[in-house]
Amino acid sequence: MKRNSTFFRSVWFITISSLGGFLLSLTGLTIGWMIGTFLAAALLSFLRPSLLRGEANQKGVPKYWLFIGQCILGIELGQKINLSFLHIFKEFWLTIILMLLLSIFFSLLSGFLLWKYSKTDMLTSFFGTAPGGLSAMPGIAEEVGANTAVVSIIQTMRVFLVILIIPIIVSLCASNPVEHVTLPAQTVSPFEFEHLLWTLVLVGIAYTGYHLGKYLKFPAPWLIGSMVAVAVVQAFGSLYIGHDMVSWWPHVVITLSQIFIAASIGSRFHKSMFIGLKQTIIVAFLSTIGLIFSMIMCAIFVSKVTGISLITAILAFAPGGIAEMTTTSVVLNADSTFVIAVQVLRIMIVCVILPPFFRLLNYWEHKKHLSSQASA
């Protein structure tokens, strides 16, 4: 009985929170569902109305909502590793890898500055500045013990700054575009019954990937395990057949993923998380601006060396979201396939490699702190 009460209360909470996402999506912001739901859920968590109030020891909505959202997101990202992606990576692999390593280096530098010049702990600082996306990083950060409120605020700030700054810059560049490389366009296939069967296969693969990720002790195995497993099967399956394997995957599915993740994160907010954040926000703002313009300079270098258009390079290497940068690339007639390839690969690298690295850094720092206390 208590379990049913908790379930229906969480459904109400997520439904009401999603209204905030719906309202913000009307502005045309592609990640509006995520940010709007997150803000509404955080507000409800602060107000704690009696209709939505759970047990005294309950921290937010049950975690299975977050896991469902992460699994959907993992399948979404994994499916993007298709033949077009492999073609792009084969042709520009050295440039892509070097620029992604540079973007990760600059994000680590940004996180280090945030950690040293604010009161934010190491894990929270690095997860907040990691360019892994607003949908992915807060959920992973929660599982390793970082402050999800600070991570969510910094990630949201970065997304907004990228959305505000990058389109303006590339629009100015559009008046004098560089001749760009022609890349294979993505095709949209009509719905067939086999698409639904492939969707069911991917869901099963994602579930298997979760168990494998859990066994290998991946952070956020529902996200990373499913993403890696689906990516491997999608890529090799497409190569074996000779064309992209297509699933039935309507846009409403990824919208539900954003709602579930945002509502789950927002439901765990409490006022004590925001004490003393003024300096943190200022440092995060300045370091984010520095990160954005560092990547713009890298994109200019890539454009001159490879002949890829400046607009395409900026959108591909900007530390923003896949949807936002891809939408801008379509509007400005840039190479959206290249943009998607680089953005997806960066998020996969950040989600798979950086969390264990952050935890290792935190372990060393904690061990160093204990040693200094013992010697004192």
Side-chain angles (χ1 to χ4, degrees):
M1 184 68 181
K2 185 184 292 185
R3 182 177 297 179
N4 288 337
S5 176
T6 301
F7 174 78
F8 287 113
R9 190 180 290 113
S10 63
V11 169
W12 268 109
F13 183 91
I14 294 172
T15 302
I16 296 173
S17 300
S18 68
L19 295 177
F22 171 72
L23 292 175
L24 197 56
S25 71
L26 297 177
T27 64
L29 188 65
T30 48
I31 203 169
W33 281 102
M34 179 79 185
I35 296 175
T37 303
F38 162 70
L39 294 175
L43 179 61
L44 287 174
S45 183
F46 286 149
L47 297 178
R48 290 181 60 82
S50 57
L51 179 65
L52 303 174
R53 194 175 299 151
E55 302 295 326
N57 61 348
Q58 183 179 332
K59 296 181 179 179
V61 300
K63 279 199 170 184
Y64 53 74
W65 294 106
L66 175 65
F67 298 154
I68 293 172
Q70 287 182 334
C71 187
I72 294 173
L73 180 62
I75 297 172
E76 166 76 11
L77 292 174
Q79 288 185 90
K80 294 185 183 298
I81 309 300
N82 52 26
L83 292 180
S84 296
F85 176 96
L86 296 175
H87 176 85
I88 296 298
F89 186 75
K90 180 182 177 181
E91 189 168 354
F92 299 102
W93 67 271
L94 182 59
T95 300
I96 292 173
I97 292 297
L98 288 176
M99 289 302 100
L100 289 179
L101 290 176
L102 271 177
S103 70
I104 291 172
F105 169 77
F106 284 127
S107 72
L108 290 174
L109 179 61
S110 179
F112 178 79
L113 294 174
L114 180 61
W115 172 46
K116 285 299 183 182
Y117 295 102
S118 71
K119 297 179 181 179
T120 309
D121 63 90
M122 178 188 285
L123 274 180
T124 302
S125 299
F126 283 123
F127 273 104
T129 57
L134 179 59
S135 301
M137 299 317 295
I140 300 176
E142 181 184 4
E143 295 197 9
V144 298
N147 187 328
T148 54
V150 177
V151 172
S152 300
I153 289 170
I154 297 172
Q155 289 285 344
T156 301
M157 180 192 302
R158 179 175 54 80
V159 170
F160 270 119
L161 287 173
V162 170
I163 292 172
L164 288 172
I165 293 172
I166 296 299
I168 294 174
I169 292 177
V170 296
S171 296
L172 294 174
C173 296
S175 60
N176 186 26
V178 182
E179 185 178 354
H180 60 273
V181 181
T182 302
L183 302 174
Q186 289 180 300
T187 58
V188 179
S189 302
F191 172 79
E192 297 178 16
F193 182 71
E194 64 182 36
H195 298 169
L196 183 58
L197 293 178
W198 184 241
T199 301
L200 297 176
V201 170
L202 292 183
V203 171
I205 294 297
Y207 186 70
T208 304
Y210 153 71
H211 284 288
L212 183 61
K214 187 178 179 181
Y215 176 76
L216 296 174
K217 300 188 185 306
F218 284 175
W222 277 109
L223 170 63
I224 297 176
S226 63
M227 177 177 66
V228 173
V230 169
V232 170
V233 172
Q234 180 77 22
F236 281 98
S238 298
L239 279 174
Y240 179 77
I241 293 178
H243 62 83
D244 287 334
M245 300 292 292
V246 180
S247 65
W248 180 74
W249 201 253
H251 184 70
V252 67
V253 175
I254 196 63
T255 298
L256 286 175
S257 170
Q258 293 185 46
I259 291 172
F260 292 158
I261 293 174
S264 298
I265 294 169
S267 70
R268 287 166 172 75
F269 275 28
H270 49 83
K271 294 179 182 178
S272 61
M273 288 179 166
F274 296 88
I275 297 175
L277 280 187
K278 181 179 178 181
Q279 184 179 0
T280 299
I281 292 175
I282 293 173
V283 175
F285 176 83
L286 295 175
S287 62
T288 302
I289 293 291
L291 174 63
I292 292 172
F293 279 97
S294 297
M295 293 317 302
I296 291 175
M297 297 305 296
C298 290
I300 292 173
F301 174 78
V302 169
S303 176
K304 290 187 176 297
V305 171
T306 64
I308 297 171
S309 78
L310 181 57
I311 297 173
T312 298
I314 291 175
L315 292 173
F317 297 110
I322 298 172
E324 289 74 24
M325 298 302 100
T326 304
T327 302
T328 307
S329 70
V330 172
V331 171
L332 295 176
N333 295 319
D335 292 314
S336 56
T337 307
F338 183 79
V339 174
I340 291 174
V342 177
Q343 291 284 348
V344 170
L345 187 59
R346 189 193 70 238
I347 289 177
M348 293 189 72
I349 291 175
V350 168
C351 289
V352 173
I353 296 176
L354 289 191
F357 177 67
F358 293 159
R359 284 198 290 190
L360 187 60
L361 283 179
N362 191 57
Y363 171 76
W364 284 340
E365 180 64 21
H366 183 64
K367 191 174 181 181
K368 180 181 176 183
H369 180 68
L370 291 177
S371 299
S372 63
Q373 281 186 334
S375 60

